[in-house]
Amino acid sequence: MPETRLTLHRHCTDEASTIELGAALAQAMVRCELPGLLITLRGDLGAGKTTLVRAILRGLGVTGRIKSPSYALVEPYAIERKSLKLKGTLQTNAYHIDLYRFSDPNEWDDAGLRELLDGRSLCLVEWPERAPALLPQADLDITLNPSPQGREIDLQSGSPVGAAMLHQLASAATDV
Ligand SMILES: Nc1ncnc2c1ncn2[C@@H]1O[C@H](COP(=O)(O)OP(=O)(O)OP(=O)(O)O)[C@@H](O)[C@H]1O
Ligand SMILES: [Mg+2]
């Protein structure tokens, strides 16, 4: 049985180190060649969820403006990645979803969220606790807690691909 549940803790002293963690997560995704992935991000207002999402998307090659999707619920991005396994380029969609203002379950289908969470795209979801019954099990669940020294960030995998990503992340940290 492949392992599913792994946890990793990171202490990020400032915004730059949160951005570094996001870049490292993007690298781990690229190394694992993961096409579809659900990542949920928890933490109070201003905890750093969007900061981390932006850094992940930048690390995956998104160059344009990355705005917070609070009003639109979803912001889509196209991602192109080189795949060693496929010996070519992999086209993937990434969706930044913010459920802070989500309240009506009808909105779920209206916003097309069911189709987005089809397992083929990268979905980065802020405020997953607003729709616990609708979201599938996350591959990676990230909790950010402000502390006097910056942010305490806990990463927990919920699937074998999530666990593979955390392994990548942990081994990349020991490389430096
Ligand atoms: N490790 C850190 N230490 C201190 N400040 C940080 C750290 N990481 C990010 N920040 C700062 O915290 C703020 C986080 O804002 P951000 O919009 O990312 O939060 P959020 O969790 O997405 O909030 P919301 O729930 O409102 O969407 C930013 O001002 C950023 O500069
Ligand atoms: Mg946010």
Side-chain angles (χ1 to χ4, degrees), residues 10-14 18 46-48 144-147 149-153:
R10 283 289 146 87
H11 170 62
C12 291
T13 49
D14 53 16
T18 303
L144 301 96
N145 281 308
S147 74
Q149 290 81 33
R151 301 289 186 269
E152 302 303 327
I153 304 184

Side-chain angles (χ1 to χ4, degrees), residues 49-50 68 98 126:
K49 302 179 292 299
T50 300
S68 195
D98 189 332
E126 295 186 43

Side-chain angles (χ1 to χ4, degrees), residues 42 99-103 126-135:
R42 297 167 202 274
L99 299 175
Y100 184 66
R101 288 184 176 75
F102 177 82
S103 53
E126 295 186 43
W127 292 100
E129 53 274 66
R130 296 281 204 262
L134 293 164
L135 274 171

Side-chain angles (χ1 to χ4, degrees), residues 24-101:
L25 278 164
Q27 273 311 306
M29 271 175 230
V30 171
R31 291 229 175 99
C32 295
E33 297 203 9
L34 300 172
L37 202 65
L38 170 60
I39 300 183
T40 48
L41 300 106
R42 297 167 202 274
D44 280 344
L45 292 168
K49 302 179 292 299
T50 300
T51 306
L52 197 55
V53 167
R54 280 202 182 104
I56 293 171
L57 291 171
R58 288 272 179 253
L60 293 173
V62 174
T63 51
R65 182 162 174 239
I66 301 175
K67 55 184 179 202
S68 195
S70 299
Y71 293 94
L73 273 191
V74 185
E75 289 292 338
Y77 299 91
I79 287 170
E80 270 192 12
R81 298 210 311 262
K82 284 209 170 62
S83 167
L84 295 175
K85 278 185 206 149
L86 298 176
K87 295 192 173 69
T89 306
L90 201 67
Q91 302 277 352
T92 323
N93 293 315
Y95 298 101
H96 182 190
I97 300 169
D98 189 332
L99 299 175
Y100 184 66
R101 288 184 176 75

